[in-house]
Amino acid sequence: MKLFAQCAFVALVSAAGWGALFATLVSPVLGWIVGLVMAPAIFTIFWMAERGPVAQVEKMYRRRFDD
């Protein structure tokens, strides 16, 4: 649950920042769209970095060769 909360926090803060940037520079509507689209994408990137298949293989090799 801690990892989920960390990923969600990073995703929301990042998406809010990008949304605010686009809202300021381009238009408020585009800012909302960017924020809503980027939040799940950023969350997925951070989640897969810790729990995805590549991370699982990396952990397996670390256990095997770090002895």
Side-chain angles (χ1 to χ4, degrees), residues 11-39 42:
L12 290 176
V13 170
S14 297
W18 280 105
L21 180 69
F22 273 81
T24 303
L25 296 177
V26 183
S27 80
V29 174
L30 186 61
W32 275 101
I33 293 170
V34 167
L36 292 174
V37 169
M38 286 187 73
I42 294 169

